[in-house]
Amino acid sequence: MATSLCSALVLVTLLQAPPPTPPTPSASPEDSLATLRGRASRDSTDAQLWLLMGRAYLGLGTEAHGATHRASEDSAWTRAVLDTAEEALARAAALAGPLGSSTVGDSARVLRVGVWAARSWLGWETGGVDAGVETWGPLPMDLRVPPVLEELGENLLRACPAGGVLLTAGDADFYAAWYMRFARGLRPDLLVVPLAAWRSDPVLRARLVADLKLGRHRGGGGGGGGGGGDDAWLVELARRRPVCVSMAFERPPETRPRVRWETRPLVWVTGPEGKGPRVPPRDFVFGALRVALDGNDPWAEPALAAYARAARATPALCEPMTTFNVASEVASCRR
């Protein structure tokens, strides 16, 4: 009875969520939120359906942090959208089975991390970078990502100098690093920020510029991707703190004036090195990657792409990759 009541409450929450924006002309009717909501009212046990709905609402929530920035104009709307995404994704994960048992369930779990990351942006914007997750209270105990992303996140965080800022490229490296930083408490000295969010979200950028004391005229954005725009703020940031760029990017950002990027295992680094020794290449681990590759985990592909780029830049990584039986997957490590 309790389970049925909980399911009904979740369904009511989703069906009463803020109305979505109309789908674009190119959107398939089957993928529109109106269609998904209608299907959910008829079938509340379809994990794939809840995953699609959660992903769609997460997209609305993250888009609210774009150039128009609805998040600041209507924070209640943005919070409600993200709450709806969280409910749908949690429902999808529960229906799909335990961690590692299905692609649908694991994708839902990873996207739940994306919801909490988007919530942390709201906290940063209203309360500063020290607020972040604390604004929303403790993270759910069941918040998880697949082991291959836990491993990627830990490797990226370990690669960065003390007191640095880690700039990430896409969902895989951002969710992985954010999860390990905030849900697992690894490397509390680091700030993890998607480069695209810093460039596209003017309110978040202004708050970060102010809190990091980068100067009034150093907050400008830039183009998308790994090398667009002048990213003047990055030059000022590098004068104050170490900056790490994930090798999920094809190359580090180009700045004006230029900064000198140093190649390290898994990241490019500029700015003051900070305290603490560098992690030698042999100390990075790739065991979860091997398991994910064998199990056809879809999150193995972006992790492998970042590791392959890192191995080309730092050939010594081939040694631990050989230890974990993944060197054969990396062209530059094959002999």
Side-chain angles (χ1 to χ4, degrees):
M1 178 67 181
T3 301
S4 299
L5 179 60
C6 179
S7 300
L9 289 174
V10 170
L11 182 58
V12 168
T13 299
L14 286 163
L15 296 177
Q16 294 180 347
T21 56
T24 60
S26 61
S28 160
E30 290 76 18
D31 292 335
S32 71
L33 273 171
T35 301
L36 293 174
R37 287 152 62 98
R39 287 172 56 192
S41 66
R42 298 188 299 272
D43 182 2
S44 62
T45 61
D46 186 339
Q48 177 72 28
L49 171 62
W50 292 101
L51 171 63
L52 291 173
M53 188 180 296
R55 178 184 288 136
Y57 275 105
L58 174 57
L60 288 178
T62 54
E63 286 173 8
H65 289 272
T68 57
H69 207 83
R70 181 167 181 171
S72 61
E73 297 174 357
D74 192 352
S75 60
W77 182 91
T78 305
R79 287 170 180 261
V81 165
L82 292 175
D83 287 345
T84 303
E86 160 74 4
E87 293 280 8
L89 294 169
R91 181 71 171 155
L95 288 168
L99 181 71
S101 63
S102 74
T103 299
V104 169
D106 285 354
S107 294
R109 292 179 179 89
V110 173
L111 293 176
R112 279 189 74 198
V113 172
V115 171
W116 282 92
R119 285 171 163 173
S120 74
W121 294 349
L122 290 176
W124 288 358
E125 291 169 0
T126 57
V129 295
D130 292 332
V133 178
E134 288 77 7
T135 302
W136 292 87
L139 295 172
M141 294 296 294
D142 63 343
L143 195 67
R144 293 289 305 275
V145 295
V148 66
L149 291 188
E150 289 190 358
E151 184 175 79
L152 175 63
E154 181 174 358
N155 282 338
L156 287 172
L157 294 178
R158 292 183 68 214
C160 288
V165 177
L166 172 61
L167 301 176
T168 58
D171 288 351
D173 62 333
F174 173 51
Y175 294 162
W178 191 94
Y179 172 81
M180 296 303 290
R181 164 64 181 85
F182 292 105
R184 299 291 293 274
L186 185 66
R187 294 300 304 271
D189 58 300
L190 297 179
L191 181 63
V192 180
V193 184
L195 180 57
W198 198 320
R199 287 172 166 170
S200 66
D201 185 340
V203 177
L204 176 63
R205 182 168 62 246
R207 170 62 75 170
L208 291 170
V209 166
D211 285 3
L212 297 174
K213 299 178 174 59
L214 303 186
R216 293 180 60 185
H217 303 293
R218 295 293 184 181
D230 58 11
D231 289 323
W233 57 267
L234 203 158
V235 178
E236 181 67 17
L237 176 61
R239 293 192 181 106
R240 299 175 178 272
R241 300 180 68 164
V243 179
C244 304
V245 174
S246 162
M247 285 194 178
F249 285 111
E250 293 185 2
R251 59 187 180 277
E254 297 176 0
T255 62
R256 298 176 185 171
R258 291 183 178 275
V259 298
R260 184 179 66 85
W261 294 100
E262 176 187 352
T263 299
R264 292 194 185 184
L266 305 181
V267 293
W268 293 284
V269 178
T270 191
E273 290 194 8
K275 300 178 181 179
R278 301 185 186 187
V279 178
R282 65 177 179 274
D283 286 355
F284 291 95
V285 296
F286 306 98
L289 174 62
R290 180 68 271 166
V291 174
L293 290 168
D294 292 340
N296 296 315
D297 187 328
W299 293 103
E301 183 177 347
L304 179 61
Y307 291 145
R309 190 171 294 114
R312 290 196 298 271
T314 307
L317 283 171
C318 292
E319 178 183 346
M321 288 181 176
T322 299
T323 300
F324 290 99
N325 297 318
V326 297
S328 60
E329 310 286 346
V330 178
S332 63
C333 292
R334 296 175 194 147
R335 290 184 172 84

